Amino acid sequence: MPVMRLDKLIAGAGLCTRSEAKKVIRAGRVTVEGKAVTDPAAHCDSDSDVRLDGERASWQEYLYLMMNKPAGYLSVTEDPRAPTVLALLPPELRRRNLSPAGRLDKDSEGLLLLTSDGDFCHRVISPKSGIEKEYYIEVDRPFPEGAETLFSAGAVLEDGEACLPARLVPAPDRMSARVFLREGKYHQVKRMSIAAGTKVKYLKRLSVGGVELDPGLAPGQFRALTEEERRRICEESDNLHK
Ligand code: URA
């Protein structure tokens, strides 16, 4: 039961960076065992009941984060050629064995889950998990008539690989669309769009398993998943396997 500074404990729990932790503590948003504490240097036991805005903020074995991934970063833990999404995390979180639960291409943006919990990661990325992911895309020429049917029938990609049925909901001008998938093949949305006769210029993931990207997160920012969000993703994968 190590004793540690309150700002360090909150940052280590993955809820925010150390400097943000200082701010939220000073603003009176943190309680320890039910009492507000406004001194970031206050010390407490690492297993105390610490809450930020009512959400449990004590040190946890596993971390679950949502990030608004910016373009230009790889969703892997290490790569010598380009910065990875881990470079966007503060040092205290980089040491916590986090890996992306699912991939977004280097030029793609939006909701990326990061976790140190291998079971949770497996639930999200396993080809069998069937968790729904929603994307917003912009394309270089309008989706041809019939593209919706091609997506719903399960598009066949250029290498002959067949996709599971998916949903394409184009905007009225058909230059952008929402795409809903239950699998995660390599470059899948881009390749399905090519099979439909157009090319993706911009791609942003909006939700995973019914959990939406927090609109308050600017590109590059992250926050901890709430307990409710984590449970929703687990429940969706459980329901799909009943
Ligand atoms: N499909 C793609 O083509 N790219 C992504 O980044 C995610 C899904």
Side-chain angles (χ1 to χ4, degrees):
M1 194 200 298
V3 172
M4 60 169 92
R5 275 178 64 119
L6 188 53
D7 54 357
K8 188 169 181 202
L9 187 145
I10 290 179
L15 287 169
C16 51
T17 63
R18 186 92 174 249
S19 57
E20 284 162 354
K22 289 192 171 79
K23 281 192 208 143
V24 294
I25 295 166
R26 289 199 186 102
R29 291 166 56 193
V30 173
T31 57
V32 179
E33 301 295 344
K35 291 201 188 81
V37 176
T38 53
D39 177 8
H43 280 68
C44 58
D45 293 335
S46 58
D47 60 358
S48 324
D49 181 357
V50 177
R51 288 175 189 260
L52 167 58
D53 297 332
E55 272 296 320
R56 184 83 192 217
S58 317
W59 193 91
Q60 291 159 44
E61 188 182 2
Y62 295 126
L63 293 180
Y64 307 87
L65 306 181
M66 73 154 70
M67 175 184 280
N68 185 358
K69 178 196 170 296
Y73 289 81
L74 297 174
S75 19
V76 292
T77 52
E78 269 184 61
D79 194 287
R81 291 157 303 165
T84 76
V85 288
L86 294 192
L88 297 163
L89 298 176
E92 57 266 32
L93 291 184
R94 260 180 257 147
R95 290 192 287 269
R96 294 290 308 271
N97 255 334
L98 288 158
S99 355
R103 295 248 172 123
L104 281 174
D105 298 334
K106 187 175 173 197
D107 59 351
S108 299
E109 299 180 5
L111 177 56
L112 185 70
L113 301 175
L114 292 143
T115 185
S116 52
D117 176 345
D119 283 346
F120 181 82
C121 190
H122 182 72
R123 275 172 187 270
V124 178
I125 65 178
S126 152
K128 288 193 205 121
S129 93
I131 289 183
E132 186 172 76
K133 293 140 210 140
E134 177 186 359
Y135 302 86
Y136 166 78
I137 55 172
E138 291 173 6
V139 288
D140 70 347
R141 70 194 91 97
F143 272 103
E145 292 304 322
E148 292 90 324
T149 315
L150 185 124
F151 271 62
S152 64
V156 177
L157 304 177
E158 76 296 345
D159 59 359
E161 198 177 358
C163 298
L164 291 175
R167 201 149 56 91
L168 175 75
V169 184
D173 66 359
R174 303 182 77 78
M175 291 297 291
S176 64
R178 302 230 164 189
V179 177
F180 300 81
L181 295 187
R182 288 194 180 272
E183 54 182 347
K185 297 188 197 301
Y186 181 64
H187 291 332
Q188 185 163 354
V189 174
K190 292 176 183 165
R191 289 159 75 209
M192 288 176 88
S193 300
I194 289 173
T198 186
K199 189 165 174 243
V200 171
K201 286 191 315 187
Y202 173 80
L203 184 151
K204 180 175 184 178
R205 184 152 59 201
L206 303 177
S207 71
V208 172
V211 171
E212 291 179 7
L213 176 64
D214 186 331
L217 291 178
Q221 290 185 327
F222 66 90
R223 69 158 170 81
L225 285 188
T226 63
E227 186 51 33
E228 210 277 306
E229 287 169 334
R230 193 187 65 77
R231 207 177 306 126
R232 200 169 334 142
I233 292 174
C234 292
E235 277 169 13
E236 170 151 342
S237 86
D238 287 346
N239 290 338
L240 290 160
H241 289 96
K242 270 185 189 150

